[in-house]
Amino acid sequence: MGVEFEVLGEIRARVDGVVADLGAARQRAVLAALVLEPGRPVTVDQLVDRVWGDHVPGTVLTSVRSYVSKLRTILRGVDIVGRAGAYTVDYEPRALDAHRFTALLTEARQAADDVAAAQAYRAALQLWRGEPFAGLETPWFAGRRHAVVVARHTAVLDHIDIQLRRGAHAEVLPELLELGRQHPHDERVAGQLMLALYHSGRQAEALDEFDRTRRRLADELGTDPGPELARLHERILRAELPTAVSSVPRQLPARPQVFAGRLRELDALAAHLDGRSTVVISAIGGVGGVGKTWLALHWAHQRLDAFPDGQLYANLRGFDPRTEPVRPEVVLRAFLEALGLEPDAIPVDADAQASLFRSELARRRMLIVLDNARDAGQIVPLLPGAGPSRVVVTSRNRLAALVSGHGAYPLTLDVLDRADARAVLVGHLGERRVAAEPDAVAAVLDYCAGLPLALGVVAARALVQSELSLGALADELRDEQARLDAVDTGDTDVNLRAVLSWSVRALSANARKLFALLGQVPGADIAVPAAESLFGAPVRDLLDELEHAHLVSQHVPGRYRMHDLVKLYAAEQPVAAEQALDRLVDHYVHTAHAGERGLFPERRDIEMPQAAPGTVVEDLRDTPAIMAWFHAEEENLLAIAPSAGSRVWQLAFCTTTFHTRTSKYTDRLELWLAALPHADDMDVRTLTLSHRSVADAYAHLDRHDEAMHHLHRALAAAEASDDRIVEGHVHYGISAAYEQRGDYESAVKHSAEALRLYSTTTNQLAIGQAHAAVGWHSALAERYEDAREHTERAIDMFTQLNAMQSLGCAVDTLGLVANKTGDHARAVELGREAVRILREAGDTARGADVTLHLGEALIAAGDVEAGRAALVQAHEMLVSQGRTTEAERVATLL
C-alpha cells in the first residue's frame, strides 16, 4: 500500500492515490505534527504544544490517543508507534511533499547547468497547492509555515534569475509584477522587475519602479535602497545594460558570410565536442590565414542552440608582432565581468579568478572560443572545470601540452583543396563571374595557394574594383615580387606579400599612408579618434576603404583591427611615423587625464604637457562614459607605454583610479614601474608619489618586501625635502605596510610620525586620517587608551568633514577596542553603526572587515546565532574580493 502526505496546502493523505478522509481539523493537525519528522519520536507534550498551543483542554491526553487510533485505521500500512510517552511515524521522507520540495531545491542548487536547475525549481514549485498547513494556527505551525514560505519565495526568485539569464524577460514580467505587489519592500524583487521591464523595452517603467521602491522604503521603513539596487538604477538610467542580460554573454564575432569545405573538420569538431566528457577541448592549429577562426566561428554559429547560457570569445593575440600575448588574468576578468560579476567582486589574484570562473561555469552550458593562442600556458587558466561547457581553441602551434595534459583533440588545418578554394571565390563573386574566366580563376587559385585569407583579399579586390577582370587580377598576382617571408609552421609554406602588396597598391594614397601607420600601432585595435590622432586628420572614409579591401575589420562599431599577418606586412611599409606616434600617445594620455579628473576630481592634479597639433582628445562627459572608455582602451594603454617616453608617468597617474576601482593592480604596477625611471628627473612629490604608487600595487598583490623597498626609497627622498605633507604620506604608507606584516608597534610609530608631520599643515582630512591610523594601529598593539583617544578625535574631524568612509572605519575601531576591553554590548552597537555607515557609502572592501568585527562582538556578547550569520556574510565578502588568507581565518572561526 502506498501512502503520500501533503502539507503544502490543506493537510491531506493519499492512500494508493486516493485522498483519504482525515477527519476533524485537530486530527489532521496531529498527523501533520507527526509526519514532519519521519522516524523521530514526538513526545506527547510536544504534540500537545504543536496542535493546541496555549489552549489546552483538560481532556487533551484522551483526545491525542483517540486521534492517533483513528489515524492508524485510516492510514493502514503506516506505522504510528507509541512508546515511552512518544509517537513515531515511520515512512520514507520522499512520501511527504515538504521533504520532496526541500530535496528538489537542493537538486536545483547543485545542478550542472541552468537547464537542469530550472527543471528542478519548476518541479519543486508545482508541489504547492496553497497556504502550507492551511487552517492550523498554533504558534508552532505558524513558525513552520513561515520557514517554508520563505524557502518558496527564495526558490521563486532563484528560478526567475535563471529565466532572466536565459532572456525570458517578457515571460516572467506578469509574475514579477504580482510579486512586486505582494512584496513591496523586497529589493531583490524590485531589481528583477526593473531588469525585466528594461529588457522588455520599458525603460521608463523600470525607472519608475525604482522611484516607487525608494519612496516606500523611505516612508515606511526609513531607509534607502541598497547599493546593488542603486547601481542597477544608475545603469538603467544610463542605458548601460546590454540588450541581453550581461550574465548571458553573446560574444562571438559575426558568422562568416562565405564558407566552403572543411566537412571533415566540421565532423571532427561535432564528434569531439558532443562527447560525454566533462570538458572537451578542440585545439585547431594551422598557419596564419588558413582559416582557423573562420572554421571555429562557422561551427559555433551552427551550434548556438546547444549553448543556451551564452558564448564567450577572446582573441589571445599569441602571434601579434606588435603586442605581447594577452595574459590569462586579463581574459579571466573580462569573462567574469561578461558573466555579470561587478568589478569589486572579482579577486585580484589570478588563481582566485580562475577558481571563480570555474565556479561560475559549473552550472552553465556555454561555448568558449579562445582565438590565436600562443601556448598552453595561456589556455589552462581559462578552462572550465566540471560541467557542460565546451572550449574551442585556435592556434598556429600544435599545443601539445594541451593535448597531452588536458585531453584536447588536435585538429590541424591544411590549406583548402582546389575545389573548396574555388567554392570560396564563388561564394564571394557568384558562379557566373567565376565560370566566365576559367583560366584566370585557375591562376588566382595557384597564387592564393588555398589560403582563405588570400582568397578573401582577391575577392574583395574583384568586388570593390568591378571594372577589373579576374584576368587582370591574375596578372597582378603573377607579377608581384615576394615581400613577406614564408610563414612556416611545419604544415605549409605560404607567401602573402604578393597578395597583400597589390591589394594595398590599389588603395588611394591617403589610405596607403594610414595602412602603413596602422602597422606601427602597438595596441590590439584602434578606435576612430585614436586613428584620427595617428593620421592627423579625419579617417572614417579611409578606414572604410581599408575595410572594403579586407585589410582591417571593424570588430565592434567604431573600433578596427588587423589580422596579425596583415599588420606585419603593414609595418614593413615605408612611412614617417615618429610624429604620428607622438600624436597617438598624446591622444591616450590626454583622454586618460580627462577621465581621471572625472573619476576623482578631488585628487590633486598634475601638470600635463601640451598635446601635439592634430591630436584628438575625447570628450568623456560622465562616469559611465569614462569607465567604458578605459575598459575599451585598457590593453592599448599598456601597449602604448613603451612608446610614451617621459609621458608614461602621466599615463600611469591618469589610469590609477580606473585600475584601483577595477582591482587591476597588475596593470597598475606595470605602468608605474615603467614610469618610475622618468620620475627621477622630476620634483620630490612626483618621485615619492611614484614609489608610493609602486609600493601600493605591490602590497595589494601581497608582495610586501618589494612594497617596503619602494616605501623606504620614497622616505629617503621625502626627508631630503621640506614638504611635510609628502613626508607624512610616506610614513602613512609605511605604517600600513608594517600592519600587513603584523609589526603593530612599528605601524604605530610611523602613523604617529605621519600625524606629527600632517599637524604642521592645514590639511584637516590628512590629520584626521592620521589620528584614525594611530588609533587603529594602537588597538592592534593592545594600547587601548591611546586607540580610544585618537579614534575619537578622528571621528570628530570626519563628522565635520562629512568623510563617511573614513568615519565608518573609525567607528569600527572604537567597536574593536570596546570588544577587546570587555564592553561587548557597546562593541555590538558600534559595529552595527560602522556596518550601516559603510553600506550607505558603498564601501564593500572595508565593509567586509567591519562585518567580521561585528560578528566577533556578537559572539562575545553571547548572541552566537547572529554572530555566526555576520561571520558567514564577512566570509562571502572576503572570498568575492579575493582576500584568501583573511577568508580562511574566518572559515576557521566558523
Side-chain angles (χ1 to χ4, degrees):
M1 176 183 292
V3 179
E4 294 180 340
F5 303 101
E6 299 174 356
V7 297
L8 300 179
E10 181 182 2
I11 306 301
R12 294 198 312 201
R14 294 178 183 268
V15 181
D16 290 338
V18 178
V19 176
D21 182 3
L22 296 177
R26 283 266 161 73
Q27 188 167 294
R28 294 197 303 272
V30 168
L31 176 63
L34 291 172
V35 301
L36 283 171
E37 298 188 61
R40 294 181 59 186
V42 178
T43 68
V44 172
D45 288 342
Q46 289 174 321
L47 196 57
V48 170
D49 178 70
R50 294 174 182 184
V51 175
W52 280 271
D54 297 329
H55 305 286
V56 182
T59 60
V60 69
L61 296 180
T62 301
S63 298
V64 168
R65 286 192 292 271
S66 174
Y67 291 148
V68 170
S69 177
K70 291 177 181 178
L71 288 170
R72 284 171 174 156
T73 301
I74 296 168
L75 304 173
R76 294 182 304 274
V78 174
D79 290 331
I80 304 178
V81 180
R83 184 182 297 114
Y87 292 97
T88 304
V89 179
D90 194 12
Y91 71 96
E92 285 294 326
R94 63 176 176 269
L96 177 66
D97 59 358
H99 284 293
R100 293 201 303 277
F101 174 74
T102 301
L104 284 166
L105 293 190
T106 300
E107 180 183 333
R109 287 161 186 155
Q110 295 176 351
D113 55 48
D114 277 349
V115 175
Q119 291 173 346
Y121 277 126
R122 282 194 297 271
L125 295 172
Q126 286 169 358
L127 294 171
W128 284 63
R129 298 173 291 104
E131 182 185 56
F133 317 108
L136 307 183
E137 299 301 332
T138 61
W140 187 82
F141 277 114
R144 296 301 292 262
R145 179 185 300 114
H146 175 73
V148 74
V149 166
V150 168
R152 181 186 186 278
H153 180 65
T154 301
V156 168
L157 299 189
D158 289 344
H159 186 216
I160 289 174
D161 275 340
I162 292 174
Q163 292 171 287
L164 290 173
R165 283 201 297 271
R166 296 169 65 83
H169 310 105
E171 290 87 339
V172 299
L173 194 50
E175 182 180 6
L176 281 170
L177 289 168
E178 179 60 28
L179 284 170
R181 285 189 286 270
Q182 295 174 2
H183 305 278
H185 304 123
D186 192 324
E187 293 189 37
R188 186 178 177 190
V189 172
Q192 289 179 333
L193 179 53
M194 289 163 63
L195 275 174
L197 287 167
Y198 176 82
H199 286 298
S200 299
R202 298 159 67 173
Q203 181 183 16
E205 293 176 64
L207 296 172
D208 288 343
E209 176 61 27
F210 177 84
D211 289 336
R212 282 192 295 272
T213 301
R214 179 180 53 78
R215 288 195 299 271
R216 279 195 297 264
L217 292 173
D219 295 341
E220 299 171 26
L221 302 180
T223 63
D224 292 322
E228 186 173 348
L229 193 65
R231 282 195 296 269
L232 177 61
H233 169 255
E234 182 69 17
R235 295 182 73 191
I236 291 175
L237 187 65
R238 303 290 186 188
E240 289 183 347
L241 294 175
T243 55
V245 151
S246 59
S247 56
V248 185
R250 311 288 184 188
Q251 294 188 341
L252 289 181
R255 183 173 190 156
Q257 296 274 330
V258 174
F259 188 85
R262 302 298 194 202
L263 297 181
R264 181 188 65 81
E265 292 86 353
L266 290 169
D267 288 343
L269 275 172
H272 289 276
L273 288 169
D274 287 347
R276 294 186 178 182
S277 300
T278 301
V279 178
V280 180
I281 308 153
S282 187
I284 307 175
V287 66
V290 79
K292 302 179 300 295
T293 304
W294 190 51
L295 172 64
L297 293 181
H298 178 78
W299 179 87
H301 279 280
Q302 283 184 320
R303 304 301 303 275
L304 292 181
D305 291 343
F307 304 101
D309 296 320
Q311 305 88 37
L312 297 170
Y313 173 86
N315 185 347
L316 301 180
R317 306 194 176 280
F319 298 90
D320 191 314
R322 292 294 172 177
T323 64
E324 292 296 315
V326 180
R327 299 190 305 275
E329 59 266 29
V330 174
V331 180
L332 279 171
R333 175 168 288 277
F335 280 178
L336 288 168
E337 290 180 356
L339 292 173
L341 277 73
E342 294 294 332
D344 58 4
I346 299 174
V348 174
D349 178 71
D351 289 340
Q353 288 178 355
S355 178
L356 179 59
F357 181 62
R358 290 191 294 271
S359 297
E360 287 294 319
L361 286 185
R363 295 172 55 187
R364 306 183 197 226
R365 190 182 300 277
M366 301 189 73
L367 175 66
I368 301 116
V369 178
L370 303 174
D371 204 4
N372 293 324
R374 186 172 189 86
D375 52 40
Q378 260 188 310
I379 299 299
V380 172
L382 307 176
L383 299 181
S389 293
R390 299 290 183 264
V391 181
V392 174
V393 181
T394 77
S395 177
R396 292 186 209 167
N397 284 339
R398 296 183 184 275
L399 303 182
L402 201 63
V403 174
S404 61
H406 297 272
Y409 172 75
L411 180 59
T412 300
L413 300 190
D414 203 340
V415 294
L416 294 173
D417 64 28
R418 200 167 187 84
D420 289 337
R422 184 183 187 281
V424 170
L425 288 181
V426 170
H428 283 291
L429 304 176
E431 176 62 35
R432 178 179 299 179
R433 187 171 181 187
V434 172
E437 299 182 75
D439 292 340
V441 168
V444 167
L445 295 178
D446 286 340
Y447 286 108
C448 289
L451 198 67
L453 173 63
L455 292 164
V457 173
V458 171
R461 282 288 313 281
L463 287 170
V464 173
Q465 296 177 283
S466 57
E467 72 281 0
L468 287 178
S469 66
L470 290 176
L473 290 172
D475 288 340
E476 288 189 17
L477 279 170
R478 187 177 295 110
D479 294 339
E480 204 67 78
Q481 297 297 315
R483 292 186 181 177
L484 283 176
D485 295 331
V487 180
D488 185 3
T489 64
D491 299 317
T492 186
D493 292 332
V494 179
N495 192 315
L496 291 180
R497 277 195 177 91
V499 176
L500 294 175
S501 63
W502 56 251
S503 184
V504 171
R505 192 172 63 185
L507 298 171
S508 66
N510 280 336
R512 286 198 301 273
K513 177 182 176 182
L514 178 60
F515 175 75
L517 289 173
L518 289 173
Q520 307 298 320
V521 173
D525 67 355
I526 193 165
V528 172
E532 291 182 344
S533 298
L534 179 75
F535 193 73
V539 295
R540 288 187 182 273
D541 290 344
L542 302 179
L543 287 169
D544 287 344
E545 188 177 347
L546 294 176
E547 187 177 17
H548 288 151
H550 287 195
L551 293 170
V552 300
S553 63
Q554 189 174 187
H555 62 105
V556 296
R559 302 192 70 86
Y560 295 82
R561 62 187 177 198
M562 284 180 167
H563 184 282
D564 48 11
L565 292 178
V566 176
K567 191 169 186 177
L568 179 62
Y569 176 76
E572 293 183 350
Q573 306 310 299
V575 68
E578 184 176 352
Q579 291 183 348
L581 287 175
D582 281 343
R583 289 192 299 269
L584 184 63
V585 169
D586 280 347
H587 162 77
Y588 287 123
V589 171
H590 283 268
T591 305
H593 179 254
E596 173 71 17
R597 301 307 302 152
L599 294 177
F600 195 174
E602 300 85 5
R603 187 183 187 193
R604 182 172 178 175
D605 202 4
I606 60 172
E607 184 176 345
M608 292 290 293
Q610 187 72 30
T615 300
V616 177
V617 180
E618 296 191 52
D619 183 14
L620 307 177
R621 297 181 178 274
D622 52 31
T623 297
I626 294 169
M627 294 299 288
W629 183 85
F630 274 116
H631 277 297
E633 300 292 357
E634 55 185 314
E635 189 176 337
N636 294 331
L637 293 171
L638 293 173
I640 201 69
S643 304
S646 62
R647 287 167 293 178
V648 71
W649 191 91
Q650 286 85 3
L651 189 65
F653 179 91
C654 295
T655 54
T656 294
T657 299
F658 168 72
H659 285 150
T660 301
R661 286 194 180 186
T662 53
S663 300
K664 295 179 179 178
Y665 292 102
T666 301
D667 293 346
R668 179 176 165 187
L669 177 63
E670 182 177 332
L671 279 178
W672 275 109
L673 285 175
L676 198 56
H678 300 283
D680 290 333
D681 299 328
M682 302 183 188
D683 58 79
V684 68
R685 287 200 173 198
T686 300
L687 180 61
T688 56
L689 173 60
S690 301
H691 281 292
R692 285 192 296 112
S693 298
V694 170
D696 188 61
Y698 273 132
H700 278 92
L701 296 170
D702 293 328
R703 296 169 61 177
H704 301 298
D705 290 342
E706 293 101 322
M708 192 63 75
H709 168 75
H710 284 278
L711 284 168
H712 282 295
R713 290 191 63 181
L715 182 61
E719 288 175 343
S721 72
D722 293 326
D723 195 322
R724 295 294 175 258
I725 283 287
V726 170
E727 195 174 348
H729 287 341
V730 178
H731 280 285
Y732 189 94
I734 293 175
S735 72
Y738 275 117
E739 175 197 336
Q740 291 173 337
R741 287 186 163 189
D743 186 349
Y744 302 133
E745 291 295 341
S746 295
V748 171
K749 172 185 172 183
H750 284 279
S751 55
E753 181 63 10
L755 175 60
R756 184 188 70 79
L757 292 163
Y758 287 151
S759 297
T760 65
T761 74
T762 59
N763 191 326
Q764 294 301 299
L765 180 59
I767 295 171
Q769 289 174 332
H771 274 299
V774 174
W776 172 250
H777 294 141
S778 297
L780 295 177
E782 301 182 357
R783 294 161 55 172
Y784 298 122
E785 287 304 318
D786 289 345
R788 190 178 290 110
E789 176 186 348
H790 283 282
T791 304
E792 287 174 347
R793 293 187 64 180
I795 288 174
D796 289 341
M797 298 183 75
F798 293 149
T799 302
Q800 293 176 13
L801 295 168
N802 197 34
M804 300 310 293
Q805 289 174 308
S806 299
L807 176 62
C809 293
V811 171
D812 174 58
T813 301
L814 277 189
L816 180 66
V817 171
N819 198 39
K820 294 293 186 182
T821 55
D823 191 353
H824 304 308
R826 177 63 173 159
V828 170
E829 178 185 350
L830 290 166
R832 285 176 171 154
E833 178 66 8
V835 168
R836 182 191 65 80
I837 293 171
L838 288 176
R839 183 178 187 272
E840 292 179 356
D843 191 333
T844 56
R846 284 178 279 198
D849 299 315
V850 301
T851 303
L852 167 60
H853 298 154
L854 172 60
E856 293 173 328
L858 285 163
I859 292 172
D863 193 346
V864 177
E865 184 176 353
R868 180 178 177 81
L871 291 180
V872 169
Q873 184 180 5
H875 181 263
E876 291 173 350
M877 297 168 73
L878 290 167
V879 169
S880 71
Q881 295 165 21
R883 297 164 65 181
T884 306
T885 302
E886 295 152 287
E888 289 175 353
R889 185 174 83 83
V890 178
T892 302
L893 290 175
L894 286 167

